[in-house]
Amino acid sequence: GAVVSQHPSRVICKSGTSVKIECRSLDFQATTMFWYRQFPKQSLMLMATSNEGSKATYEQGVEKDKFLINHASLTLSTLTVTSAHPEDSSFYICSATLRASTVNTIYFGEGSWLTVV
Amino acid sequence: RKEVEQDPGPFNVPEGATVAFNCTYSNSASQSFFWYRQDCRKEPKLLMSVYSSGNEDGRFTAQLNRASQYISLLIRDSKLSDSATYLCVVNKGTYKYIFGTGTRLKVLA
Protein backbone atom coordinates (compact mmCIF):
# COMPACT_ATOMS: atom_id res chain seq x y z
CA GLY A 1 0.00 0.00 0.00
CA ALA A 2 0.96 3.62 -0.41
CA VAL A 3 3.31 5.03 2.18
CA VAL A 4 2.97 8.58 0.91
CA SER A 5 -0.27 9.81 -0.57
CA GLN A 6 -0.59 12.82 -2.84
CA HIS A 7 -3.74 14.59 -3.97
CA PRO A 8 -5.03 15.54 -6.48
CA SER A 9 -3.49 13.28 -9.07
CA ARG A 10 -4.56 15.55 -11.90
CA VAL A 11 -5.69 19.13 -11.94
CA ILE A 12 -6.47 21.59 -14.67
CA CYS A 13 -6.71 25.23 -13.76
CA LYS A 14 -7.02 28.55 -15.49
CA SER A 15 -4.09 30.86 -15.83
CA GLY A 16 -3.87 33.23 -12.88
CA THR A 17 -5.55 30.96 -10.36
CA SER A 18 -3.93 29.07 -7.50
CA VAL A 19 -3.74 25.34 -7.01
CA LYS A 20 -3.05 23.40 -3.82
CA ILE A 21 -1.47 19.97 -3.78
CA GLU A 22 -1.43 17.86 -0.64
CA CYS A 23 1.13 15.31 0.43
CA ARG A 24 0.46 12.99 3.34
CA SER A 25 2.66 10.43 5.00
CA LEU A 26 0.65 7.39 6.00
CA ASP A 27 1.43 5.48 9.18
CA PHE A 28 4.57 7.42 9.90
CA GLN A 29 5.59 10.92 10.87
CA ALA A 30 7.61 12.93 8.42
CA THR A 31 9.32 15.94 9.88
CA THR A 32 10.77 16.60 6.47
CA MET A 33 9.14 16.25 3.10
CA PHE A 34 10.43 17.22 -0.30
CA TRP A 35 8.75 18.69 -3.34
CA TYR A 36 9.97 17.97 -6.84
CA ARG A 37 8.97 19.06 -10.29
CA GLN A 38 9.48 17.00 -13.39
CA PHE A 39 9.06 18.28 -16.90
CA PRO A 40 8.54 15.78 -19.73
CA LYS A 41 11.60 13.64 -20.42
CA GLN A 42 13.56 15.37 -17.70
CA SER A 43 14.66 14.33 -14.25
CA LEU A 44 13.07 15.22 -10.97
CA MET A 45 14.24 18.63 -9.86
CA LEU A 46 14.13 19.38 -6.16
CA MET A 47 12.10 22.51 -5.55
CA ALA A 48 12.09 22.77 -1.80
CA THR A 49 12.44 21.01 1.50
CA SER A 50 9.35 21.21 3.65
CA ASN A 51 10.07 21.33 7.38
CA GLU A 52 7.34 20.68 9.92
CA GLY A 53 6.66 23.75 11.99
CA SER A 54 9.09 26.01 10.19
CA LYS A 55 9.68 27.68 6.86
CA ALA A 56 10.48 25.66 3.81
CA THR A 57 13.94 25.73 2.32
CA TYR A 58 13.86 26.53 -1.38
CA GLU A 59 16.36 25.52 -3.99
CA GLN A 60 18.08 28.15 -6.05
CA GLY A 61 15.87 29.52 -8.77
CA VAL A 62 12.59 28.47 -7.18
CA GLU A 63 10.33 31.40 -6.29
CA LYS A 64 9.15 30.99 -2.73
CA ASP A 65 6.33 33.48 -3.19
CA LYS A 66 5.00 31.55 -6.14
CA PHE A 67 5.33 28.06 -4.67
CA LEU A 68 4.00 28.28 -1.15
CA ILE A 69 4.78 25.35 1.09
CA ASN A 70 3.10 24.66 4.39
CA HIS A 71 4.01 21.77 6.67
CA ALA A 72 1.57 22.25 9.50
CA SER A 73 1.64 18.71 10.86
CA LEU A 74 3.94 15.73 10.94
CA THR A 75 1.91 13.98 8.27
CA LEU A 76 0.88 16.74 5.90
CA SER A 77 2.69 19.13 3.60
CA THR A 78 0.98 21.28 1.01
CA LEU A 79 2.30 22.99 -2.08
CA THR A 80 0.32 25.89 -3.47
CA VAL A 81 1.13 27.13 -6.93
CA THR A 82 0.00 30.73 -6.89
CA SER A 83 -1.02 32.72 -9.96
CA ALA A 84 -0.35 29.71 -12.13
CA HIS A 85 0.81 30.17 -15.69
CA PRO A 86 1.00 27.66 -18.54
CA GLU A 87 4.76 27.27 -18.00
CA ASP A 88 3.96 25.93 -14.52
CA SER A 89 2.31 22.92 -16.13
CA SER A 90 4.32 19.97 -14.92
CA PHE A 91 4.38 16.82 -12.83
CA TYR A 92 4.74 17.75 -9.16
CA ILE A 93 5.73 15.05 -6.76
CA CYS A 94 6.42 14.92 -3.08
CA SER A 95 8.49 12.54 -1.05
CA ALA A 96 9.13 11.67 2.54
CA THR A 97 11.95 9.76 4.08
CA LEU A 98 11.26 6.80 6.31
CA ARG A 99 14.16 6.68 8.67
CA ALA A 100 15.56 3.33 9.69
CA SER A 101 18.56 2.25 11.66
CA THR A 102 20.55 1.22 8.63
CA VAL A 103 19.26 3.11 5.65
CA ASN A 104 16.75 5.82 5.00
CA THR A 105 14.27 5.06 2.26
CA ILE A 106 12.59 7.68 0.12
CA TYR A 107 8.94 7.17 -0.62
CA PHE A 108 7.14 9.18 -3.24
CA GLY A 109 3.59 10.29 -3.51
CA GLU A 110 1.74 9.32 -6.65
CA GLY A 111 2.44 12.71 -8.18
CA SER A 112 0.16 15.46 -9.41
CA TRP A 113 -0.18 16.46 -13.02
CA LEU A 114 -0.87 20.16 -13.25
CA THR A 115 -2.10 21.66 -16.48
CA VAL A 116 -2.58 25.40 -16.63
CA VAL A 117 -4.72 26.60 -19.50
CA ARG B 1 29.83 19.07 -13.45
CA LYS B 2 26.38 17.79 -12.53
CA GLU B 3 25.97 16.39 -9.05
CA VAL B 4 24.57 13.15 -10.41
CA GLU B 5 25.07 12.11 -14.03
CA GLN B 6 23.55 9.34 -16.07
CA ASP B 7 23.56 8.41 -19.73
CA PRO B 8 19.99 9.21 -20.81
CA GLY B 9 19.93 6.40 -23.37
CA PRO B 10 17.73 4.95 -24.66
CA PHE B 11 19.26 1.55 -24.31
CA ASN B 12 17.43 -0.76 -26.71
CA VAL B 13 18.10 -4.38 -25.88
CA PRO B 14 16.49 -7.68 -26.90
CA GLU B 15 14.66 -9.81 -24.40
CA GLY B 16 17.03 -11.97 -22.42
CA ALA B 17 19.95 -9.61 -22.79
CA THR B 18 22.09 -8.30 -19.97
CA VAL B 19 22.33 -4.55 -19.68
CA ALA B 20 24.26 -2.28 -17.34
CA PHE B 21 23.90 1.36 -16.41
CA ASN B 22 26.36 3.58 -14.62
CA CYS B 23 25.80 6.71 -12.62
CA THR B 24 28.52 9.08 -11.47
CA TYR B 25 28.25 11.44 -8.53
CA SER B 26 30.35 14.42 -7.57
CA ASN B 27 30.05 14.58 -3.79
CA SER B 28 32.61 12.28 -2.22
CA ALA B 29 30.80 12.62 1.12
CA SER B 30 27.63 10.95 -0.19
CA GLN B 31 26.67 7.87 1.79
CA SER B 32 23.29 6.77 0.51
CA PHE B 33 22.66 5.49 -2.98
CA PHE B 34 19.59 4.10 -4.63
CA TRP B 35 18.22 2.99 -7.94
CA TYR B 36 14.65 3.92 -8.66
CA ARG B 37 12.47 2.86 -11.53
CA GLN B 38 10.05 5.28 -13.14
CA ASP B 39 7.41 4.27 -15.62
CA CYS B 40 5.98 6.80 -18.01
CA ARG B 41 3.87 9.42 -16.24
CA LYS B 42 4.18 7.65 -12.87
CA GLU B 43 6.02 8.31 -9.65
CA PRO B 44 9.45 6.73 -9.12
CA LYS B 45 9.51 3.49 -7.19
CA LEU B 46 12.40 2.09 -5.25
CA LEU B 47 14.17 -0.67 -7.12
CA MET B 48 17.01 -1.22 -4.71
CA SER B 49 19.38 0.47 -2.35
CA VAL B 50 23.07 0.25 -3.15
CA TYR B 51 25.36 -1.04 -0.44
CA SER B 52 29.10 -0.66 -0.21
CA SER B 53 29.70 -4.36 -0.70
CA GLY B 54 27.33 -4.56 -3.64
CA ASN B 55 23.98 -6.29 -3.52
CA GLU B 56 21.78 -8.44 -5.64
CA ASP B 57 18.03 -8.83 -5.88
CA GLY B 58 16.98 -11.48 -8.34
CA ARG B 59 18.03 -10.37 -11.79
CA PHE B 60 19.26 -7.00 -10.53
CA THR B 61 22.73 -6.31 -9.17
CA ALA B 62 23.87 -2.97 -7.82
CA GLN B 63 27.44 -1.97 -7.07
CA LEU B 64 29.19 1.03 -5.61
CA ASN B 65 32.66 2.22 -6.52
CA ARG B 66 33.62 4.91 -4.04
CA ALA B 67 37.09 5.48 -5.47
CA SER B 68 35.69 6.39 -8.88
CA GLN B 69 32.45 7.76 -7.45
CA TYR B 70 29.96 5.79 -9.44
CA ILE B 71 27.25 3.25 -8.91
CA SER B 72 26.06 0.68 -11.37
CA LEU B 73 22.96 -1.37 -12.04
CA LEU B 74 23.11 -4.65 -13.92
CA ILE B 75 19.97 -6.30 -15.23
CA ARG B 76 20.22 -9.89 -16.36
CA ASP B 77 17.78 -11.78 -18.55
CA SER B 78 15.90 -8.60 -19.48
CA LYS B 79 12.12 -8.78 -19.63
CA LEU B 80 9.76 -6.63 -21.62
CA SER B 81 8.42 -5.39 -18.30
CA ASP B 82 11.84 -3.99 -17.44
CA SER B 83 11.27 -1.21 -19.97
CA ALA B 84 11.30 1.99 -17.93
CA THR B 85 13.52 4.85 -16.89
CA TYR B 86 16.04 4.04 -14.19
CA LEU B 87 16.94 6.86 -11.86
CA CYS B 88 20.09 7.06 -9.84
CA VAL B 89 19.65 8.80 -6.49
CA VAL B 90 22.40 10.07 -4.23
CA ASN B 91 22.11 11.82 -0.92
CA LYS B 92 23.24 15.38 -0.38
CA GLY B 93 23.45 16.08 3.29
CA THR B 94 21.39 14.15 5.79
CA TYR B 95 18.01 13.85 4.13
CA LYS B 96 18.24 15.63 0.81
CA TYR B 97 18.53 13.54 -2.31
CA ILE B 98 19.62 14.39 -5.83
CA PHE B 99 18.33 12.54 -8.84
CA GLY B 100 20.09 11.76 -12.04
CA THR B 101 18.34 12.47 -15.30
CA GLY B 102 17.52 8.81 -15.66
CA THR B 103 18.45 6.18 -18.20
CA ARG B 104 15.74 4.93 -20.50
CA LEU B 105 15.65 1.22 -21.15
CA LYS B 106 13.61 -0.40 -23.88
CA VAL B 107 13.50 -4.17 -23.97
CA LEU B 108 12.48 -5.38 -27.39
CA ALA B 109 10.61 -8.58 -28.20
Side-chain angles (χ1 to χ4, degrees), chain B residues 8-27:
Chain B
F11 284 59
N12 297 322
V13 302
E15 265 188 295
T18 295
V19 62
F21 311 134
N22 280 345
C23 167
T24 59
Y25 60 95
S26 61
N27 186 354

Side-chain angles (χ1 to χ4, degrees), chain B residues 73-84:
Chain B
L73 176 68
L74 180 78
I75 305 175
R76 289 182 297 278
D77 189 23
S78 299
K79 312 290 185 189
L80 293 175
S81 57
D82 293 333
S83 297

